[in-house]
Amino acid sequence: MREGTTLLFSSRRTFLQSLSRSALVLSLENVFALASRASWLPFLRRLQLAPVSGAGATGNPLGGGAAPTNGLGVNFLNVARESGLNARTIFGGEHKNKYLLETTGCGVAFYDYDNDGWLDIFLVNGSRLEGFSPGPAPTSHLFKNNRDGTFTDVTAKAGVGHSGWGQGVCIGDYDNDGYEDLFVTYFGKDVLYHNNGDGTFTDVSEKSGVAGSGKRWNTGCAFVDYDRDGHLDLFVANYIDLDLATAPVPESGPCLYKGVMVACGPPGLNGGKNILYHNNGDGTFSDVSESAGLLQANGTYGLGVLTADFDNDGWPDIYVANDSTASALE
């Protein structure tokens, strides 16, 4: 950090709390400040990596000589394996993709699930059409921050080991109990985990009314108090209306991209309808998509979601990044 620079957030706790309601845009300086916490120094030293101090600074824990520089005076190094982030992400076939479903990948959330002031990591996982016999299907993973640059997989203990075609993830304290909860979108039924405050979660998807019909391709999501009643509501983007029994395969078109046969879509397929859930304040949600006007929009191929008061009128807006068509600002 440059001398005299003022940080956007006065503490790690303030930063974490800001993430519970909306996506956030940080300046490059604030990203560096967050990443260069003194707590990471022992871990970096164990990797024999000196903190970068200038554009010409070097350091490579793998012994391969100088780390590449990018003119910014900062280098990034993949330390996932050394940190204990060893879960394998599965999404579609390894050598061939038949449907568009197999191509979108999975989301990730950095958030402090146990309120100890340290960012933990939740990794969404996917599936394969051919299944996983023998052996169990892959699940999403929750990694607890050990405060020394390493993480421990606490998925089973926390109760968040769900299998399926995982897509996106968002966090928010929907019941205002001081612990941020976890919502995961799927091709199929979504999952809402209530944070019990003791390191465990309870699946309240059906009870809360946000599991959905199981016939939709849900993607990005965001907790946002759209009506400013003090309770976080939930917005869920949808990609396309997909039925694998009738979905076109690459050979049917054929579906080509620059002369190469690829999975068909999204152009030519029906776009999905986004969903807005109103928080009833009693642990349940109501689908208000129609009354809010979301169903009047054409199918959008929705993927990513951001929320902010874009026009400074005091009311949160919702931005949806769409595939192959114009994005939407709600």
Side-chain angles (χ1 to χ4, degrees):
M1 291 296 293
R2 293 198 310 267
E3 184 176 354
T5 298
T6 301
L7 290 180
L8 180 61
F9 299 102
S10 59
S11 68
R12 182 186 295 265
R13 169 58 52 196
T14 303
F15 170 74
L16 294 174
Q17 289 175 341
S18 74
L19 291 177
S20 67
R21 293 176 181 267
S22 174
L24 183 70
V25 177
L26 293 178
S27 69
L28 189 62
E29 289 182 343
N30 277 287
V31 172
F32 292 163
L34 189 67
S36 61
R37 301 288 295 184
S39 57
W40 284 88
L41 293 179
F43 179 60
L44 294 177
R45 292 191 182 104
R46 286 202 301 275
L47 293 176
Q48 297 179 342
L49 174 66
V52 176
S53 59
T58 62
N60 189 345
L62 302 181
T69 61
N70 52 21
L72 295 175
V74 173
N75 297 322
F76 291 91
L77 182 72
N78 184 355
V79 295
R81 185 182 300 275
E82 294 84 354
S83 298
L85 301 175
N86 52 13
R88 187 181 183 189
T89 300
I90 302 294
F91 210 90
E94 291 188 74
H95 307 293
K96 184 178 180 181
N97 294 322
K98 185 177 182 181
Y99 298 107
L100 196 61
L101 174 63
E102 303 175 84
T103 67
T104 54
C106 307
V108 59
F110 287 77
Y111 90 110
D112 185 13
Y113 80 93
D114 53 0
N115 282 3
D116 66 353
W118 295 79
L119 285 174
D120 309 294
I121 299 177
F122 182 85
L123 295 175
V124 181
N125 217 332
S127 189
R128 283 194 187 130
L129 293 175
E130 57 268 31
F132 299 90
S133 181
T139 70
S140 297
H141 289 267
L142 177 63
F143 289 92
K144 177 178 172 56
N145 192 327
N146 298 326
R147 311 182 190 185
D148 59 0
T150 68
F151 294 81
T152 298
D153 190 334
V154 294
T155 306
K157 178 181 178 181
V160 294
H162 189 81
S163 299
W165 287 98
Q167 297 286 300
V169 56
C170 51
I171 61 172
D173 183 8
Y174 76 87
D175 58 351
N176 293 331
D177 65 353
Y179 288 89
E180 291 171 329
D181 309 295
L182 184 67
F183 183 77
V184 188
T185 62
Y186 286 84
F187 169 63
K189 289 197 172 186
D190 296 326
V191 178
L192 175 62
Y193 293 106
H194 175 261
N195 190 332
N196 300 322
D198 59 0
T200 68
F201 293 78
T202 299
D203 184 340
V204 295
S205 313
E206 298 290 349
K207 178 181 178 181
S208 64
V210 297
S213 65
K215 299 180 180 180
R216 305 186 71 162
W217 186 343
N218 309 281
T219 52
C221 60
F223 282 98
V224 54
D225 186 10
Y226 77 91
D227 55 357
R228 302 191 309 185
D229 65 354
H231 299 283
L232 286 177
D233 310 296
L234 180 61
F235 182 92
V236 183
N238 268 250
Y239 193 43
I240 61 175
D241 294 333
L242 179 67
D243 182 349
L244 293 179
T246 59
V249 295
E251 297 81 4
S252 64
C255 297
L256 302 174
Y257 178 74
K258 295 185 177 181
V260 178
M261 193 173 297
V262 296
C264 299
L269 303 178
N270 293 326
K273 298 294 185 180
N274 298 327
I275 308 171
L276 180 61
Y277 292 107
H278 177 262
N279 189 330
N280 300 322
D282 59 0
T284 67
F285 292 79
S286 297
D287 187 338
V288 295
S289 307
E290 183 173 5
S291 61
L294 297 186
L295 301 187
Q296 298 175 11
N298 294 326
T300 55
Y301 307 140
L303 287 172
V305 179
L306 294 174
T307 66
D309 181 9
F310 293 105
D311 54 1
N312 294 323
D313 65 352
W315 294 88
D317 307 299
I318 302 172
Y319 179 86
V320 185
N322 298 319
D323 189 6
S324 301
T325 187
S327 297
L329 180 60
E330 310 285 354

